[in-house]
């Protein structure tokens, strides 16, 4: 599933496309997306005639601002789900299989959402309403914004009995972080992924916050991680999979000490860690 770096790569691609003419057409496939109750009313029709503005991101969501014909501040939320891809095509180009949205602009180009597994989501409406309601309203702090720290993480997760890897996936605690980057951050911070979150000491939270920012920035610089489906706006794969230290590498030598990496499964998601560099502590708190 695309995480913060992948979604940020898509956002930057949409910005680079310079879509600056009004919406002139809207095609939506009859196939419903599967994302859940917050996405039942897509309300895409409100974008007819609207002028595109800033392309933003909140966590794993694209949040695109529009100005309606009546001057109203509108927005479009795009969730890529597990296999969603956004691309720009000319209106004359044939739509590929599993295209679910073609948003046409006056310059003859279209934004297209392709999602074979249909776990993505689309929702449009008044911009302030999109910010004030789920899923956007339920998101925690952005890890790449000023103010994110170990203290912020500790306040959100320090009382949790969940394994720290699982706790980090809580989008109300830290927006945009998913399994790949959580596993990589825990390796960088030297923290066992199955240690209960409440056992971490402040110094461990501080290391973890720094590690989260580091791996996310690396992922963005590398254009995201492509393990299977992810492509950016121009159809290119990411490069970050080549720089992953532990994720997907169980049984391989640790890049730091050479010991075999161990695999684990928790909460239905797999990961890997180094038993030597990420030992499970015997004391109550990890210092």
């Amino acid at each position: 599933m695309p995480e913060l770096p992948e979604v940020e790569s898509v956002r930057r691609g949409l910005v680079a496309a310079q879509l600056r003419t009004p919406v002139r057409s809207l095609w939506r496939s009859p196939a419903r997306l599967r994302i859940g109750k917050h996405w039942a009313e897509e309300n895409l029709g409100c974008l007819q005639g609207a002028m595109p503005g800033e392309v933003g991101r909140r966590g794993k969501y694209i949040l695109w601002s529009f100005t309606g014909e009546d001057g109203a501040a509108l927005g479009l939320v795009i969730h890529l789900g597990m296999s969603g891809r956004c691309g720009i095509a000319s209106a004359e180009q044939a739509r590929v299989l599993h295209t679910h949205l073609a948003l046409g602009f006056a310059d003859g180009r279209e934004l297209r959402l392709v999602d074979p597994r249909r776990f993505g989501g689309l929702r449009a409406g008044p911009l302030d309403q999109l910010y004030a309601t789920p899923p956007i309203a339920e998101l925690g702090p952005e890890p790449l914004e000023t103010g994110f720290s170990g203290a912020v993480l500790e306040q959100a997760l320090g009382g949790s009995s969940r394994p720290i890897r699982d706790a980090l996936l809580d989008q109300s605690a830290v927006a945009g972080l998913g399994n790949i980057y959580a596993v990589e951050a825990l390796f960088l911070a030297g923290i066992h992924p199955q240690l209960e979150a409440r056992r971490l000491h402040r110094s461990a939270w501080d290391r973890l916050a720094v590690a989260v920012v580091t791996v996310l920035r690396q992922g963005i610089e590398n254009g995201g991680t492509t393990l299977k489906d992810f492509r950016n706006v121009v159809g290119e794969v990411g490069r970050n999979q080549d720089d992953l230290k532990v994720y997907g590498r169980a049984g391989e030598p640790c890049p730091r000490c050479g010991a075999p990496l161990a695999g684990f499964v928790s909460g239905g998601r797999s990961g890997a860690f180094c038993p030597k560099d990420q030992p499970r502590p015997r004391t109550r708190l990890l210092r």
Side-chain angles (χ1 to χ4, degrees):
M1 177 182 293
E3 302 179 26
L4 187 156
E6 291 74 54
V7 179
E8 177 63 17
S9 178
V10 171
R11 185 197 72 81
R12 294 182 181 191
L14 293 175
V15 171
Q18 298 186 7
L19 294 164
R20 297 173 178 170
T21 59
V23 174
R24 287 290 179 258
S25 65
L26 192 154
W27 175 87
R28 177 70 170 83
S29 79
R32 292 186 62 84
L33 299 173
R34 305 173 180 176
I35 194 165
K37 63 180 181 179
H38 300 317
W39 306 82
E41 297 296 329
E42 294 181 339
N43 197 31
L44 299 175
C46 73
L47 298 177
Q48 288 278 10
M51 180 71 72
E54 179 182 359
V55 184
R57 178 192 54 77
R58 187 75 173 89
K60 300 179 185 180
Y61 303 93
I62 296 291
L63 188 49
W64 195 349
S65 299
F66 287 79
T67 302
E69 290 184 303
D70 60 355
L74 304 174
L76 170 64
V77 179
I78 303 173
H79 182 41
L80 297 178
M82 301 181 71
S83 60
R85 303 193 302 272
C86 281
I88 306 299
S90 69
E92 292 75 25
Q93 289 178 263
R95 297 176 188 134
V96 302
L97 188 64
H98 304 301
T99 298
H100 292 281
L101 172 70
L103 190 66
F105 296 87
D107 65 1
R109 293 184 292 169
E110 292 182 344
L111 167 75
R112 295 182 180 178
L113 174 68
V114 178
D115 188 358
R117 301 181 68 180
R118 293 192 288 125
F119 285 106
L122 295 163
R123 186 180 176 198
L127 188 61
D128 57 354
Q129 186 178 85
L130 295 177
Y131 273 109
T133 55
I136 303 301
E138 297 176 339
L139 295 175
E142 289 285 331
L144 299 183
E145 289 187 355
T146 302
F148 182 74
S149 66
V152 169
L153 276 180
E154 184 178 14
Q155 182 177 9
L157 301 174
S160 174
S161 61
R162 292 174 291 174
I164 182 59
R165 193 291 309 266
D166 296 10
L168 286 172
L169 305 186
D170 184 344
Q171 297 301 293
S172 67
V174 51
L177 190 64
N179 189 35
I180 294 173
Y181 296 96
V183 167
E184 290 290 299
L186 288 165
F187 172 73
L188 185 59
I191 299 171
H192 194 291
Q194 295 183 292
L195 181 70
E196 290 183 1
R198 64 187 177 186
R199 294 183 62 195
L200 271 67
H201 189 267
R202 167 56 65 83
S203 62
W205 288 113
D206 290 341
R207 294 200 312 275
L208 182 54
V210 171
V212 165
V213 172
T214 299
V215 299
L216 291 176
R217 285 179 173 166
Q218 174 189 288
I220 293 171
E221 184 177 344
N222 285 336
T225 299
T226 299
L227 299 179
K228 184 178 178 181
D229 297 304
F230 174 69
R231 301 291 188 278
N232 64 19
V233 169
V234 296
E236 299 171 337
V237 300
R239 305 181 306 279
N240 197 57
Q241 60 276 7
D242 298 328
D243 287 337
L244 296 177
K245 301 297 188 295
V246 293
Y247 183 85
R249 301 187 185 280
E252 298 181 18
C254 171
R256 184 179 294 157
C257 71
L261 297 173
F264 71 95
V265 178
S266 179
R269 295 180 175 91
S270 62
F273 67 101
C274 177
K276 182 176 179 181
D277 291 322
Q278 298 169 266
R280 188 188 290 270
R282 296 180 182 178
T283 57
R284 189 179 72 86
L285 296 174
L286 181 63
R287 295 189 182 275

